[in-house]
């Protein structure tokens, strides 16, 4: 088919919205039953993670780059790549006198401590024992059995994503004063969408609630607000495949099969009175539109925009999650 014929078939994903203004939309609080959300959260928390924790974006740990330091569940972790690009991870303190290995250097694929030059190639050495690590192509996961306390698994539960080569991905990270379950609970309340984020979502309807463990998804019709009254309507499904992950997958409409994965990683230990949690959100977008090939080519320029959109939503959603923790931790939680 010629380009011209192709262009004539092009239809815009944008629709003009005629729905009510913010205050005139139907309240959702009757449907957003606290018990329903809390049951969905309990089922999510009962799933297995195999002790895997998301620590960040794959592209942030670069071969030949500096090591990456993270704290997960109160455990200091250092990550780096070998010369051949393989991921390495282990305790963040040098086995000699405890220097912070995140500030060390990678030389020829080995991590060289900047205090006295001890070099680690990723294999056990002098009491330093590596952690299992997994690079899924978008995110890096580390397995910490002492933090997770579950039966360990070989691999993390990685959500199904659009195939490589047909997608654009971006990873956004922020940190809140709450526990992972507060982040997950926020995501398992889809009803707040067009009330709490009117600058991003309109006309949100939950068309199907979870039916229990065998069919545990929220299905939502919602329009993304683009500009003025122009919107992109989609159907999306929210699921929690493991205790610290919620996946939103577009099932119908523009960008079908695209996913937004929200991963909540505890930074502080279980006994910490002031818990902090990292929200690592991966947007993996696809589209069968012709223009999407251009978008893929422009991915480096698009990523900051995608992160900016996620950041705007998470400013609100972290306030929700932190508020939930503040109420829970003082016995004032309504649920
Ligand atoms: S503390 Fe690392 S080599 Fe001495
Ligand atoms: Fe939200």
């Amino acid at each position: 088919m010629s380009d011209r014929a192709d262009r004539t078939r092009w239809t815009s994903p944008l629709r003009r919205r005629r729905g009510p203004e913010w205050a005139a939309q139907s309240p959702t609080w009757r449907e957003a039953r606290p018990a329903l959300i809390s049951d969905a959260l309990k089922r999510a928390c009962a799933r297995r993670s195999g002790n895997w924790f998301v620590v960040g974006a794959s592209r942030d740990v670069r071969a030949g780059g500096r090591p990456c330091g993270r704290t997960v569940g109160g455990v200091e972790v250092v990550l780096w790549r070998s010369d051949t690009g393989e991921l390495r991870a282990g305790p963040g303190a040098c086995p000699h006198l405890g220097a912070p290995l995140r500030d060390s250097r990678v030389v020829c694929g080995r991590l060289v401590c900047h205090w006295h030059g001890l070099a680690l190639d990723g294999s056990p050495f002098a009491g330093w024992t590596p952690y299992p690590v997994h690079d899924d192509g978008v995110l890096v996961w580390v397995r910490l059995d002492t933090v997770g306390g579950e039966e360990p698994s070989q691999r993390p539960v990685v959500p199904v994503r659009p195939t490589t080569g047909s997608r654009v991905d971006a990873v956004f990270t922020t940190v809140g004063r709450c526990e992972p379950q507060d982040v997950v609970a926020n995501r398992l309340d889809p009803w707040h969408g067009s009330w709490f984020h009117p600058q991003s979502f309109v006309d949100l309807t939950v068309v199907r609630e979870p039916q229990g463990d065998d069919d545990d998804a929220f299905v939502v019709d919602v329009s993304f607000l683009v500009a003025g009254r122009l919107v992109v309507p989609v159907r999306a499904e929210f699921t929690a495949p493991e205790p610290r992950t919620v996946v939103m997958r577009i099932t119908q409409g523009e960008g079908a099969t695209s996913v937004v994965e929200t991963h909540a990683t505890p930074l502080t230990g279980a006994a910490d009175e002031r818990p902090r949690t990292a929200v690592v959100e991966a947007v993996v977008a696809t589209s069968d539109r012709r223009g999407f090939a251009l978008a893929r080519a422009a991915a480096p320029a698009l990523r900051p925009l995608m992160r900016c959109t996620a950041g705007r939503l998470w400013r609100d959603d972290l306030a929700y999650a932190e508020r939930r923790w503040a109420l829970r931790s003082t016995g004032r939680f309504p649920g």
Side-chain angles (χ1 to χ4, degrees):
M1 182 177 296
S2 72
D3 270 10
R4 189 185 154 79
D6 230 4
R7 265 199 301 275
T8 55
R9 284 180 350 134
W10 189 83
T11 52
S12 166
L14 297 172
R15 299 285 176 273
R16 200 171 174 77
R17 177 177 182 253
R18 295 197 178 76
E21 294 307 317
W22 184 81
Q25 64 184 319
S26 293
T28 52
W29 65 269
R30 283 188 192 83
E31 289 85 50
R33 302 186 300 285
L36 191 153
I37 297 167
S38 118
D39 286 351
L41 177 65
K42 274 188 210 137
R43 291 192 299 274
C45 291
R47 292 189 185 118
R48 306 283 83 181
S49 72
N51 302 331
W52 288 93
F53 296 84
V54 166
V55 289
S58 299
R59 67 173 60 85
D60 288 348
V61 194
R62 292 194 195 93
R66 295 192 59 80
C68 245
R70 297 282 188 272
T71 303
V72 177
V75 173
E76 217 182 334
V77 179
V78 67
L79 301 109
W80 77 97
R81 285 193 194 270
S82 71
D83 269 358
T84 50
E86 278 165 68
L87 207 52
R88 309 273 187 240
C94 178
H96 176 220
L97 285 175
L101 291 172
R102 68 176 66 189
D103 297 332
S104 297
R105 282 171 53 186
V106 180
V107 181
C108 300
R110 298 197 308 167
L111 187 63
V112 179
C113 178
H114 59 309
W115 281 14
H116 312 91
L118 184 146
L120 296 164
D121 63 6
S123 50
F125 185 77
W128 186 95
T129 309
Y131 296 135
V133 67
H134 181 74
D135 183 349
D136 68 24
V138 177
L139 297 169
V140 167
W141 305 66
V142 67
R143 199 183 84 199
L144 297 171
D145 295 338
T146 53
V147 178
E150 294 175 16
E151 189 66 32
S153 63
Q154 277 298 105
R155 290 277 174 265
V157 182
V158 179
V160 176
R161 299 169 178 153
T163 46
T164 321
S166 67
R167 68 192 194 191
V168 174
D169 64 88
V171 178
F172 168 80
T173 303
T174 187
V175 173
R177 280 186 299 274
C178 60
E179 292 179 335
Q181 65 147 291
D182 301 302
V183 171
V184 173
N186 166 270
R187 275 297 187 262
L188 296 179
D189 163 16
W191 291 275
H192 74 261
S194 49
W195 281 101
F196 197 39
H197 308 290
Q199 71 285 14
S200 303
F201 304 119
V202 286
D203 306 330
L204 185 147
T205 314
V206 177
V207 293
R208 187 171 157 79
E209 294 173 358
Q211 309 294 306
D213 245 337
D214 295 336
D215 182 9
D216 210 355
F218 291 90
V219 180
V220 170
D221 283 344
V222 64
S223 289
F224 295 106
L225 203 50
V226 177
R229 296 187 76 81
L230 294 178
V231 296
V232 178
V234 298
R235 174 161 287 186
E237 183 184 276
F238 289 76
T239 53
E242 58 108 280
R244 293 176 291 274
T245 299
V246 179
V247 180
M248 185 204 78
R249 174 171 288 104
I250 296 180
T251 54
Q252 286 175 34
E254 183 63 21
T257 74
S258 298
V259 294
V260 176
E261 301 170 21
T262 305
H263 300 275
T265 301
L267 302 182
T268 41
D272 201 302
E273 286 183 357
R274 295 172 58 81
R276 294 191 321 129
T277 294
V279 176
V280 182
E281 189 160 275
V283 180
V284 189
T286 191
S287 169
D288 49 15
R289 287 180 182 276
R290 289 178 63 233
F292 194 72
L294 281 177
R296 283 212 321 274
L302 266 182
R303 279 190 191 104
L305 290 176
M306 292 165 80
R307 281 197 290 267
C308 179
T309 307
R312 198 172 54 180
L313 284 171
W314 271 106
R315 265 198 299 278
D316 295 339
D317 281 332
L318 264 189
Y320 178 127
E322 289 178 341
R323 170 75 177 170
R324 185 178 187 276
W325 180 79
L327 294 178
R328 276 195 315 117
S329 60
T330 50
R332 295 177 289 152
F333 187 62

